[in-house]
Amino acid sequence: MAANGDEKRSRREDAGGEEEEEEEEENGGMIMEAWERAYADERSWESLQEDESGLLRPLDTASILHAHYRRRLLRRASAPASSRIQKGLIRYLYLVIDLSRAASETDYRPSRMVLVSKGVETFVREFFDQNPLSHIGLVIIKDGVAHRLTDLGGTPDSQIKVLMGKRECSGEASLQNALELVRDYLGQVPSYGHREVLILYSSLNTCDPGDIMETIEKCKKDKIRCSVVGLSAEIYICKYLCEETGGSYTVALDESHFKELLLEHAPPPAAIAEYAAANLIKMGFPQRGADGVIAICSCHKEAKVGGGYTCPRCKARICELPTECRLCGLTLVSSPHLARSYHHLFPVTPFNEVTSMLLNKSNRKTSQTCFGCQQSLGNHGSTSLHVSCPKCNQLFCLDCDMYIHESLHNCPGCESQRESRSYDAKA
Amino acid sequence: MASLVPPPKLYTDDVSLIVIILDTNPFFWGTLSNTSALTFSFSKFLNHMIPFVNSLLLLNQLNHVVLIASGVASCGYIYDSATAVASDGGQKVPAVCSEILSRLEEFVAKDQRLGKGDLRTVAGSMSSLFSGALSLALCYIQRVFRSGMQHPQPRILCLQGSPDGPEQYVAVMNAIFSAQRSMVPIDSCVLGMQHSAFLQQASYITGGVYLKPQQLDGLFEYFTAVFATDLQSRTFLELPRPVGVDFRASCFCHKKTIDMGYVCSVCLSIFCKHHKKCSTCGSDFSHGHSELDRKRKHSEV
Ligand SMILES: [Zn+2]
Ligand SMILES: [Zn+2]
Ligand SMILES: [Zn+2]
Ligand SMILES: [Zn+2]
Ligand SMILES: [Zn+2]
Ligand SMILES: [Zn+2]
């Protein structure tokens, strides 16, 4: 909930600058007249809503939020079970960032490049949250060549740090060079992985050494799913690339739209069966060593104090996860890493809406409390709506309903009884 | 509640909301009091815990303590210092004590009745419903977050003795991640004979303190020295360091705790042995066994 609020605030700030783009200096964005700020920051017209008779009234944000959430939840639940589960959860994605001259333009605030790098930061974090075993690598294109910034890896912080240090824009962009480079690196990933490229493209042209159509054909053959998020206008070659390789092509309208489009690529795409073979991978879940214990690690061949993990098969010491054991070759992962995505597999069934009238009839007690947070459900102002879990029949307030389905992913009622254990046959 | 609380609460950084999860599993407490080495009964435990609750409330008058019981067949709220004040007119020590005891007695009796009908419970599942109690605690904490800009700093303290229930693995992990996202630390005090993998992971992931006291007779001292410290003060203290974290998972097929297993590359389900088909997502594994070898070859290049 707290994170949500933050995001909304920052989105509002970002969206602020569209109106007065002409007056802005290159590195500015901060210099604004007071009256401008009043419009840009507060956007007071957005908090008004037109009712049936055409009158303006302040927005009832809480109920709108809940209505939005219900719609999202029901849409997710109504999707066929197979498409909900068949996700390519092990993804190998190269993020290609256009740092050509076009990226230094300031039609987006404060500039395209800054917007893109900020977007990449949130995207990378969100990506690892949703795809725990996946890998991301960064590639930049400038001066007509593509350059790999980071290797495919599983840690968000190091990736972001490297990008933040390399943000100068110059020269032309070359789509073909970028694709060739990425195709080369993606050729080495295991076949159960999903190969993907996501290009954040600012330019309106591409400056290529050869025939890009051939490259696109090769990408298609290698089953690399290419997607593009454009920052200027729609370009035919990008559209063609995405159509051919099964990716998606979108062009941003403004700052908040760009972020939205970018984050659409964070959840795992529906896996196309032929793109990656399903496999059972043997994995170990190493135990973390106690603080203060000295051991020699097998990866650096050094004596280290504290931390570290122990391979469950050969008992070798490893510094970081995920990795492959140097001695016995077992793939080693941290089990919480895997568990982060299990709520996709066992979602909490949507709760049914119950109005308070129904409540009074069916229950002898007039004052009911939410099973989750103990808040009384009776006097809730205008909204006397509650929900009940179809499995355990416990009542919940709307806030708990939202928290349970969006963050907790457990029904406290079902977990508080013996019979219905969570993981059988929910899907 | 509203009538007695002064309108603008002055929350400083040491005001805490402590949600205590209490293990009331009679099977666990029964074996603990029967073991010859340790004679420690549930009533002895309460002699340590209730004074601890009182001392938390006395540390800061705005401190807020909530007790949740995790039984074998149900979970429930036992005590909430915010609502208890209103009914009694003051936080008198005997009042807190008697309320906790009477509600606890009620809960245990009801829990026993619910558990009776279920043969499986009696047959040997010795775990308590920890995932349910943890979920309740998190829902309560979200309500405090919603209460306004200023709220006490929440944390969860688990007083758990029963062995982990591997069938709760997914639910417990979901709750741990949600606590981590809301930045709620989970402290754990293990009263049983074995370490708990659930609690080790919970405390490690959320940045709480994990402790398995050597001597249960000194429980009150452990409580006050380690678990009474608010989050702000913890930065200045040398609290018990983790003794290592047990990252073992539960397999989806038999709900067994394993340290090595097979993972479906499509949905990441964990199995203890090789299957032809994934029971969660239906993926077929009959083809392609050479993946790992290929991968290894590449990583060596
Ligand atoms: Zn090492
Ligand atoms: Zn090994
Ligand atoms: Zn609630
Ligand atoms: Zn339920
Ligand atoms: Zn199994
Ligand atoms: Zn599967």
Side-chain angles (χ1 to χ4, degrees), chain A residues 86 278-279, chain B residues 264 266-267 276-286:
Chain A
Q86 284 268 4
N279 210 326
Chain B
C264 168
V266 177
C267 69
K276 285 213 173 63
K277 203 170 173 225
C278 174
S279 59
T280 311
C281 70
S283 295
D284 192 7
F285 306 127
S286 42

Side-chain angles (χ1 to χ4, degrees), chain A residues 284-301:
Chain A
F285 313 116
Q287 239 162 294
R288 195 182 153 80
D291 277 6
V293 174
I294 302 170
I296 296 176
C297 77
S298 64
C299 36
H300 305 86
K301 314 266 189 308

Side-chain angles (χ1 to χ4, degrees), chain A residues 289-343:
Chain A
D291 277 6
V293 174
I294 302 170
I296 296 176
C297 77
S298 64
C299 36
H300 305 86
K301 314 266 189 308
E302 276 170 24
K304 296 236 168 140
V305 185
Y309 301 86
T310 314
C311 169
R313 186 149 75 186
C314 69
K315 309 286 177 239
R317 184 76 155 192
I318 301 105
C319 286
E320 282 201 335
L321 294 178
T323 185
E324 224 165 74
C325 179
R326 295 291 171 112
L327 299 189
C328 67
L330 185 66
T331 306
L332 300 173
V333 293
S334 133
S335 55
H337 248 74
L338 300 179
R340 260 179 209 285
S341 63
Y342 288 158
H343 66 86

Side-chain angles (χ1 to χ4, degrees), chain A residues 179-191:
Chain A
L179 288 175
E180 286 289 352
L181 183 82
V182 168
R183 207 175 61 82
D184 220 37
Y185 288 124
L186 282 179
Q188 302 168 6
V189 309
S191 69

Side-chain angles (χ1 to χ4, degrees), chain A residues 13 60 169 200 213 266 390:
Chain A
E13 276 162 20
D60 182 1
C169 313
L200 309 178
M213 294 301 179

